[in-house]
Amino acid sequence: MVGQLAADSIERRSGVSLWRQIADKILHAIAIGDFAENAALPPEVALAERYGVNRHTVRSAIAALVQEGVLRAEQGRGTFVLSRKRLSYPIGARTRFSAGLQGQALERHTVLLASSVEPASHRVAEGLGLARGTDVIRLETRGEADGRPVSRAAGWFEARRFAGIDAAMVETGSITASLARFGIDDYLRQSTMLSARHADAADLADLDLQPGAIVLVTVAVNVTPDGQPIQFSESRFPAERVELKLSAL
Amino acid sequence: MVGQLAADSIERRSGVSLWRQIADKILHAIAIGDFAENAALPPEVALAERYGVNRHTVRSAIAALVQEGVLRAEQGRGTFVLSRKRLSYPIGARTRFSAGLQGQALERHTVLLASSVEPASHRVAEGLGLARGTDVIRLETRGEADGRPVSRAAGWFEARRFAGIDAAMVETGSITASLARFGIDDYLRQSTMLSARHADAADLADLDLQPGAIVLVTVAVNVTPDGQPIQFSESRFPAERVELKLSAL
DNA sequence: ACAGATTTGTACGTATGTATA
DNA sequence: GTATACATACGTACAAATCTG
């Protein structure tokens, strides 16, 4: 189905490039409901013919919309409208993955992607209050809600104190539960730095994103209630699927 | 100056597209210091000849790097390496523009871009605890640090209570100082929602960004110490120039 | 102030590669 | 295997913005 993608109002030498006009037409068509979420757009050649432009001009328009997070293009399959609903991920004094998404997703869990022991880099050492080069365990995890990846995190823990936390993570599927095995019943978020950037290749793969997607990046230190640093973490959230709700920290 | 942009290792039919290989070459050249911040890259035609590819292939590589926030292309002038230093903007219980950037920029100020009176939209009314449609004053401001735009914000205030706040803003150049004229000596951040997206046309113009740039978006409500909502705001920060530091909220 | 050169942006055309159905 | 659909790469031409003499 093609809907109301009329070619009439495409104007040459109007000061607005053709590809931008076509991108705006597609946006409008989506806005008025001509294309539902996850619906396929007509193929590039069909759109090109419809608008009376070259296929490359349509490609420029689609590329812009992919980049803006509106469409997803899949080689050999087609171009699809992305879903726009976002989860609201709370960040505060007690930031917990599963508890935070309660009520927003039926099923939440964390999977361990990789783990390793490595010498602490400068920023990890500083965050954990260790000497640079001290052995730390790195856990790479992915958070999923209702089957969709919503976060990708690297967490660093002092290796001597938390030996075996990787195994605990595999068993329990939860950082909080794993820490409990080491006698950590409670922990607090000490500091959080927040930035945003385009997803890199690893983000694209692990979070199932399209090139050009944006990730929100938090760098945080978790401490015990008496202020002892236990975890340094860097988390990436796909901006198209998650927004962050900052609460009392 | 062209530096070490050698063409030798560009490989066809290697499984990695030519434009990506060239983009990585340019990234590497920047990383090893062949191009300083703000330095101009060789023109597209020169790069194309150097690598033995078509100009469009170089353009694809440059487009990717512009999109990743590494380069800035200016029609008629050239393509330049972007600066990578970021300001750290604190967000917490007492979030103040100028005070927050103290020590990071010599000169900070806020300019009023526009102001208007309008009926409160659903989300503004909800944030301020007003009936929908109540008149509110909207102030559009831009924050600058050392001459560079670092934020663009829309703030909404109940029109009846804060009549003339636009004039106060022009005079004082500060939201905090303007609120003081209405007897608000202190105010706190009640809630903050955080997301990220690509900059729209207005962001590009007001923040002096390139298409494809990312903005961090905060939506917040400020309240008096006794909990009365006084300001609803939506702020946009260019992610390439600003990161957010979350503190006690 | 103007003309010409330089440099990026847009738009077209054509061919071939790669992934999916 | 064939057809479809997006991806890459080449080529050409001209427009628009900027810089230079």
Side-chain angles (χ1 to χ4, degrees):
Chain A
M1 260 306 299
V2 185
Q4 303 294 84
L5 284 174
D8 38 41
S9 51
I10 299 292
E11 288 177 24
R12 284 162 194 267
R13 60 191 70 243
S14 68
V16 180
S17 58
L18 295 184
W19 66 261
R20 187 67 255 179
Q21 291 183 56
I22 291 169
D24 291 340
K25 275 257 173 287
I26 294 172
L27 274 180
H28 182 248
I30 293 171
I32 65 176
D34 276 351
F35 299 110
E37 288 183 358
N38 303 315
L41 249 57
E44 294 170 347
V45 283
L47 290 173
E49 192 179 8
R50 177 178 310 274
Y51 292 122
V53 300
N54 189 272
R55 178 182 156 229
H56 288 307
T57 305
V58 168
R59 278 183 63 75
S60 293
I62 290 174
L65 295 176
V66 166
Q67 207 257 356
E68 289 167 25
V70 175
L71 300 176
R72 174 183 77 252
E74 292 182 34
Q75 184 172 166
R77 298 222 314 135
T79 303
F80 305 90
V81 179
L82 283 173
S83 151
R84 290 179 58 260
K85 298 176 218 103
R86 286 176 178 169
L87 290 179
S88 175
Y89 188 86
I91 291 192
R94 284 186 177 73
T95 297
R96 308 287 188 267
F97 178 76
S98 182
L101 295 179
Q102 197 161 20
Q104 300 187 67
L106 289 174
E107 178 273 329
R108 295 98 56 194
H109 67 272
T110 307
V111 297
L112 183 65
L113 300 177
S115 71
S116 61
V117 176
E118 58 188 37
S121 65
H122 175 64
R123 62 172 196 160
V124 170
E126 190 175 38
L128 292 177
L130 301 173
R132 185 168 177 178
T134 308
D135 273 353
V136 291
I137 298 173
R138 190 182 94 241
L139 300 183
E140 291 274 351
T141 57
R142 177 175 56 215
E144 300 178 3
D146 291 339
R148 294 210 316 173
V150 295
S151 72
R152 176 171 183 267
W156 287 266
F157 306 83
E158 188 183 2
R160 194 213 293 245
R161 177 161 179 197
F162 295 101
I165 194 173
D166 46 350
M169 183 66 212
V170 171
E171 270 185 65
T172 64
S174 155
I175 297 273
T176 303
S178 300
L179 285 171
R181 296 205 175 173
F182 293 86
I184 311 288
D185 297 322
D186 190 20
Y187 58 94
L188 301 171
R189 171 89 43 135
Q190 180 184 59
S191 65
T192 305
M193 289 295 305
L194 205 145
S195 59
R197 58 168 172 75
H198 286 97
D200 62 27
D203 298 326
L204 297 180
D206 288 334
L207 294 172
D208 188 23
L209 295 170
Q210 296 295 306
I214 296 174
V215 289
L216 284 159
V217 182
T218 64
V219 174
V221 176
N222 280 321
V223 299
T224 57
D226 57 317
Q228 199 175 14
I230 53 173
Q231 179 189 15
F232 180 87
S233 70
E234 177 180 302
S235 303
R236 278 138 290 182
F237 302 89
E240 66 196 45
R241 301 204 275 261
V242 179
E243 59 187 358
L244 305 178
K245 179 183 174 63
L246 313 184
S247 49
L249 196 126
Chain B
M1 261 306 299
V2 184
Q4 302 294 84
L5 284 174
D8 39 40
S9 52
I10 299 293
E11 287 177 25
R12 284 163 193 267
R13 62 189 70 242
S14 68
V16 180
S17 57
L18 296 184
W19 65 261
R20 186 67 257 179
Q21 292 183 57
I22 291 170
D24 291 340
K25 275 257 174 286
I26 294 171
L27 274 180
H28 182 249
I30 293 171
I32 66 176
D34 275 351
F35 299 108
E37 286 185 359
N38 303 315
L41 249 58
E44 294 169 350
V45 283
L47 291 173
E49 193 179 7
R50 176 178 311 274
Y51 292 121
V53 300
N54 189 271
R55 178 182 158 227
H56 288 308
T57 305
V58 169
R59 278 182 63 74
S60 293
I62 289 174
L65 295 177
V66 166
Q67 209 255 358
E68 289 167 25
V70 176
L71 300 177
R72 174 185 75 253
E74 292 181 32
Q75 184 172 168
R77 298 223 315 134
T79 303
F80 306 89
V81 179
L82 282 173
S83 151
R84 288 180 61 261
K85 297 174 219 105
R86 286 176 179 170
L87 290 179
S88 175
Y89 187 87
I91 291 191
R94 285 185 177 73
T95 296
R96 309 286 188 267
F97 177 76
S98 181
L101 296 179
Q102 198 162 19
Q104 301 188 67
L106 290 174
E107 178 274 329
R108 294 97 58 193
H109 68 273
T110 307
V111 296
L112 183 66
L113 300 177
S115 71
S116 61
V117 176
E118 59 187 38
S121 65
H122 175 65
R123 64 171 195 162
V124 170
E126 191 175 38
L128 292 177
L130 301 173
R132 186 168 178 179
T134 307
D135 273 354
V136 290
I137 298 174
R138 191 183 93 240
L139 300 183
E140 291 276 350
T141 57
R142 178 174 56 215
E144 300 179 3
D146 291 338
R148 294 209 318 171
V150 294
S151 72
R152 175 171 182 267
W156 287 265
F157 305 84
E158 187 184 2
R160 194 214 293 246
R161 177 161 179 196
F162 295 101
I165 195 173
D166 46 350
M169 184 65 210
V170 171
E171 270 184 66
T172 64
S174 155
I175 297 273
T176 303
S178 300
L179 286 170
R181 296 207 176 173
F182 292 86
I184 311 289
D185 297 321
D186 191 19
Y187 59 93
L188 301 171
R189 172 83 51 130
Q190 180 185 59
S191 65
T192 305
M193 290 294 307
L194 205 146
S195 58
R197 57 168 172 76
H198 286 95
D200 61 27
D203 298 325
L204 297 180
D206 288 335
L207 294 172
D208 188 24
L209 294 170
Q210 296 294 306
I214 296 175
V215 288
L216 284 159
V217 181
T218 63
V219 174
V221 177
N222 280 321
V223 299
T224 58
D226 58 317
Q228 198 176 15
I230 52 173
Q231 178 189 15
F232 180 87
S233 70
E234 178 180 303
S235 303
R236 278 138 288 182
F237 302 89
E240 66 195 46
R241 302 205 273 261
V242 179
E243 59 187 359
L244 305 179
K245 180 182 174 62
L246 313 183
S247 49
L249 196 126

